[in-house]
Amino acid sequence: MTDWIIAIGTMIAALAAICAAIYTKRAAEAAARAATEAGNQVRVMVNQQRPWLLVSLPENASQLVSQFVPSQTTLQLLYLNPVVRNYGNTTAKITLSKAKLLVLPGGQQLPADPDYNASDFYTLSGTTLLPPDTPAQGLQPGISNFDFLAVYNRTATLWLYGFIDYFDINDINESPHQSRFCFEYRVPGGFNPNPASFYISGPDAYRRCT
């Protein structure tokens, strides 16, 4: 009888130990999940409390290109004005902006990595403050009618690409951020119903944002 009671007591103690171990493991897993979620929330909050600059094109950009009829004798210039907008929650301090219109023969692709050191970029190197939900149109890349003629004759493709370098005005460490952009002007052929227009395009390295 005594042995039976001792056996039962041992089983109960073992069961209690197992339950305690399971509880400890689950508590540890729950704590780990909570820590991970808290870390994610902190990262989200940090990302929210910073500027985010993205570049788009004005609504009339495609129309300006489609209506541009290049002269074969007289110099003409076509300018486009990319729109930089701050989608973040703090003011951005822009330190450098570059944009370029490039014509590539039909079938030729952009290099995998952009060369931003070329001399033919439209460049803004002055400091500009851009508050949240505010647009700016300082960039004004242009192209001559002679360079555009191949695009007009549908034997070449027009690209617009560049980048914006900026900081968070509230970041005492001035961690650098960069927003790259790249657009391709496409003229559908055949029975393609899509309009001639600019589309976000190009290799990933041309569209990277940090």
Side-chain angles (χ1 to χ4, degrees), residues 43-56 83-94 130-136 164-169 175-180 207-210:
R43 282 189 288 272
V44 169
M45 291 178 64
V46 169
N47 287 335
Q48 288 177 342
Q49 297 304 316
R50 57 155 286 186
W52 273 105
L53 303 190
L54 296 178
V55 179
S56 61
V83 180
V84 183
R85 181 179 289 272
N86 185 357
Y87 290 89
N89 291 323
T90 59
T91 298
K93 181 171 70 173
I94 300 174
L130 191 63
D133 198 27
T134 303
I164 311 292
D165 281 343
Y166 65 100
F167 299 92
D168 183 344
I169 195 174
S175 303
H177 300 291
Q178 185 179 75
S179 292
R180 299 181 178 185
R207 296 178 282 109
R208 184 180 302 134
C209 295
T210 61

Side-chain angles (χ1 to χ4, degrees), residues 14-77:
L15 183 60
I18 294 172
C19 291
I22 293 174
Y23 176 83
T24 301
K25 181 181 178 181
R26 290 180 176 175
E29 291 174 346
R33 287 195 300 270
T36 300
E37 292 173 0
N40 291 336
Q41 289 176 356
V42 169
R43 282 189 288 272
V44 169
M45 291 178 64
V46 169
N47 287 335
Q48 288 177 342
Q49 297 304 316
R50 57 155 286 186
W52 273 105
L53 303 190
L54 296 178
V55 179
S56 61
L57 293 177
E59 293 182 359
N60 67 338
S62 299
Q63 183 179 5
L64 288 173
V65 174
S66 65
Q67 294 181 351
F68 186 69
V69 180
S71 169
Q72 298 189 27
T73 56
T74 305
L75 177 63
Q76 300 167 296
L77 292 174

Side-chain angles (χ1 to χ4, degrees), residues 58 81 185:
N81 299 86
Y185 183 75

Side-chain angles (χ1 to χ4, degrees), residues 179-190:
S179 292
R180 299 181 178 185
F181 56 92
C182 187
F183 301 93
E184 177 188 1
Y185 183 75
R186 298 175 186 168
V187 182

